[in-house]
Amino acid sequence: FTLVESAAIVRLALLFGSTWLVNVVVFSSALLMIFLANLAVLRQRAPSLSVAWVAVIVGLLVNAALPLSTLLALPGWARTLVAAALVGVPVFFAAVCFSRLFARERYTGYALGINFIGAMAGGGLEYLSMVLGMNGVWLLALGVYLGAWLATRVAARGAHRPTSA
């Protein structure tokens, strides 16, 4: 999430200027989407893990491909709503993925520890924006989430292999 939030803050700062509105939109959208994703998983109304992974990837691709000029052409209220949705959609589906995967964990302390390491790594990767540009950070986030998706698929295949006696 930290890599996506960092990219969103910079994108929204270009839309609205570096104001309190940027932070309100990014953090409110992210926190609301995480809450709604957890609620949907708890109430068993969340999409499947496969659908959630695809939605994360599509959401990040849309963020990477959508030119900033498209958002600048919108009126202020529409720009705020669209920007919140652009940030919120990938965060919502990433939170669904996390919640579904976390629910499977036997040892939650280890999973939370790995999640914190991932959060710190995402924050550190944000510094690559100086080399890649901010649009490149969306592609970097896409690569990270594709790697996570592939890792979960490999782990799931390994869990289903029969063990020899």
Side-chain angles (χ1 to χ4, degrees):
F1 297 139
T2 55
L3 187 57
V4 172
E5 286 177 347
S6 297
I9 288 170
V10 171
R11 174 178 251 183
L12 294 182
L14 293 171
L15 286 174
F16 301 109
S18 287
T19 66
W20 60 270
L21 182 61
V22 169
N23 292 321
V24 167
V25 170
V26 171
F27 294 116
S28 296
S29 178
L31 290 172
L32 179 64
M33 291 300 113
I34 291 167
F35 172 75
L36 292 175
N38 286 321
L39 188 62
V41 170
L42 281 172
R43 293 192 174 171
Q44 299 178 349
R45 295 184 184 222
S48 69
L49 190 55
S50 301
V51 170
W53 279 119
V54 170
V56 169
I57 290 169
V58 168
L60 291 172
L61 281 171
V62 168
N63 272 289
L66 190 69
L68 198 57
S69 59
T70 303
L71 298 174
L72 287 170
L74 298 172
W77 63 270
R79 188 181 325 154
T80 303
L81 290 176
V82 171
L86 286 170
V87 173
V89 167
V91 170
F92 175 84
F93 289 107
V96 168
C97 292
F98 176 81
S99 292
R100 289 204 178 274
L101 292 169
F102 187 75
R104 296 179 183 175
E105 286 299 314
R106 200 189 229 168
Y107 304 107
T108 57
Y110 178 77
L112 284 175
I114 294 298
N115 187 52
F116 286 132
I117 291 170
M120 290 186 296
L125 286 174
E126 192 271 329
Y127 284 104
L128 288 175
S129 66
M130 291 181 240
V131 175
L132 302 173
M134 281 316 298
N135 210 37
V137 172
W138 289 109
L139 297 175
L140 181 61
L142 176 66
V144 168
Y145 277 105
L146 280 171
W149 176 56
L150 291 173
T152 59
R153 291 185 57 107
V154 168
R157 282 190 191 137
H160 294 299
R161 288 191 184 146
T163 56
S164 59

